[in-house]
Amino acid sequence: MLVHPVPANATYDFASDVRTGLSRGDQKELPSKYLYDNVGSALFEVISHLPEYGLTRADERLLRRHADDIVDRIPGPVAVTELGSGSGKKTRWLLEALCRRQHTSYYPVEISRSALAMCERELRDIDSISILGFETEYLDGLLRVAAYRKPGQHLLVLFLGSTIGNFDRPAGVQFLGEVRRILDPGDSLLLGTDLEKSTAQLLAAYNDELGVTAAFNLNLLSRINRELEGNFEVSQFAHVARINQQARSIEMHLRSRRRQQVTIPAAEIEVELEENETIWTESSHKYRLPEIGDIARHAGFQCMAQWIDDEWPFAENLLVAQ
Ligand code: AVI
């Protein structure tokens, strides 16, 4: 697989986002996209196998069971791009179904180099596939993929795993609108969305008994130490999963176990944390089925079909650009 490299200013963006997020006087925060360096991506892969976290398996089950039905609804010829491919494992079923119909170009877009490499290893044995990875952010990758479009070729965008849930609701609609603007009418978007479930189920999923999600969250501090010369004492922070009823989301925070001061030279910042003060690192929004059609319409799509898992409330939604 050929890989288009990450833009040269990636470290600078990380430093400046860390400076902005940790300088806030009210709620300190760090963008969740930085959870996924090589260590974070590997930990997320482990999370997807945990008994408490059914989201990835539901996504995979739906794609495996309904791959032919999904592919039948997509006009050809079509090229496929996936925003945040991860290991690519769950995408195999769709790609195999498509490759039985036509030779398929698959363009995974990922900010994690190791996840892209894993994705290529996972999928390269499929007959009639060519893979070209883009190591960059979603919209930049999608723009580059759109430039590869051949005359008459449709585009199928995969945005699986409920990554949309990691945007707050207005930002999610805005993001889908930006995706729509890059697409042509008739192009498709397969959107995975985690549905509402009980508080107990959510708290267990985001605070598993083995502590893998805690390690995934705390790794963000270690990453700042590794890449920005920070001096976080990781053991002085605790992982917290917290329900936000109003936002219909579950949040991850890092709680400072004591009053402390942290220096991050490459971000040119000194941070003071009070005892029990938290750094907000992720929100994971949950959806009601009917609201997905509304979100789609606001972003310029029509929701043509939905597939719902029978074990873990999760939906695959096929949206068509209007
Ligand atoms: C990638 N994303 C959809 C996951 C989620 O469930 O929000 C990330 C995650 N965070 C904690 N566990 C998994």
Side-chain angles (χ1 to χ4, degrees):
M1 173 176 68
L2 283 169
V3 174
H4 285 234
V6 77
N9 63 357
T11 308
Y12 170 78
D13 285 349
F14 183 34
S16 103
D17 287 348
V18 166
R19 184 168 54 251
T20 306
L22 295 186
S23 305
R24 293 183 63 121
D26 43 358
Q27 171 67 72
K28 294 183 174 46
E29 58 182 291
L30 291 167
S32 62
K33 65 180 177 182
Y34 294 116
L35 291 165
Y36 300 91
D37 65 344
N38 290 353
V39 177
S41 297
L43 288 167
F44 179 64
E45 181 63 23
V46 179
I47 290 173
S48 71
H49 294 279
L50 294 172
E52 298 98 320
Y53 188 83
L55 188 158
T56 312
R57 287 187 299 281
D59 198 16
E60 217 171 313
R61 225 172 4 250
L62 288 170
L63 296 173
R64 176 159 39 84
R65 285 188 187 156
H66 303 291
D68 287 323
D69 188 16
I70 295 169
V71 162
D72 283 349
R73 292 165 190 262
I74 293 161
V78 66
V80 182
T81 181
E82 180 166 8
L83 309 182
S85 62
S87 71
K89 227 180 269 170
K90 58 184 180 296
T91 317
R92 162 174 289 277
W93 314 104
L94 269 186
L95 291 173
E96 283 184 345
L98 254 182
C99 287
R100 282 194 288 276
R101 180 174 97 181
Q102 57 159 89
H103 180 278
T104 304
S105 300
Y106 170 59
Y107 305 106
V109 175
E110 248 299 334
I111 46 171
S112 159
R113 178 170 295 196
S114 60
L116 257 191
M118 220 193 289
C119 175
E120 194 251 344
R121 278 198 302 276
E122 177 68 32
L123 300 172
R124 67 182 162 202
D125 66 317
I126 299 177
D127 281 339
S128 292
I129 197 166
S130 52
I131 306 178
L132 175 62
F134 289 85
E135 189 188 338
T136 183
E137 309 245 355
Y138 300 146
L139 292 175
D140 179 52
L142 183 57
L143 270 171
R144 296 203 219 171
V145 169
Y148 275 77
R149 181 202 284 269
K150 300 192 185 88
Q153 191 176 47
H154 287 95
L155 214 51
L156 165 62
V157 180
L158 307 177
F159 197 36
L160 305 173
S162 203
T163 304
I164 186 72
N166 297 136
F167 292 77
D168 65 39
R169 284 175 207 273
V173 176
Q174 194 190 331
F175 176 78
L176 294 182
E178 281 164 27
V179 169
R180 167 63 193 88
R181 276 188 280 286
I182 300 172
L183 299 181
D184 288 344
D187 285 339
S188 312
L189 168 64
L190 188 66
L191 180 70
T193 48
D194 202 23
L195 302 177
E196 288 185 336
K197 44 190 63 63
S198 74
T199 297
Q201 206 174 3
L202 277 180
L203 288 172
Y206 289 83
N207 197 3
D208 61 277
E209 68 173 22
L210 258 183
V212 184
T213 308
F216 172 65
N217 197 8
L218 288 161
N219 173 58
L220 189 42
L221 303 183
S222 303
R223 179 178 183 181
I224 293 173
N225 289 350
R226 287 192 294 272
E227 295 182 26
L228 302 178
E229 303 150 40
N231 66 349
F232 276 107
E233 249 188 83
V234 176
S235 63
Q236 293 309 312
F237 289 84
H239 164 70
V240 177
R242 184 189 286 174
I243 300 284
N244 183 331
Q245 297 285 6
Q246 211 189 345
R248 288 186 285 129
S249 68
I250 180 153
E251 298 176 353
M252 294 202 309
H253 290 252
L254 291 162
R255 181 177 59 77
S256 175
R257 294 185 193 272
R258 59 168 161 81
R259 189 161 199 271
Q260 50 187 316
Q261 196 178 52
V262 179
T263 311
I264 310 171
E268 296 168 340
I269 182 180
E270 279 201 359
V271 188
E272 302 266 1
L273 286 138
E274 298 300 328
E275 185 177 354
N276 291 328
E277 184 177 354
T278 71
I279 304 171
W280 178 20
T281 52
E282 186 191 67
S283 286
S284 194
H285 293 82
K286 307 301 165 188
Y287 298 88
R288 294 173 187 156
L289 259 192
E291 86 179 290
I292 298 162
D294 296 339
I295 291 171
R297 243 185 326 279
H298 277 108
F301 291 94
Q302 194 183 344
C303 184
M304 305 301 273
Q306 293 180 309
W307 294 265
I308 299 135
D309 190 55
D310 45 19
E311 289 178 45
W312 177 274
F314 187 95
E316 228 60 88
N317 311 275
L318 183 60
L319 315 186
V320 175
Q322 298 301 290

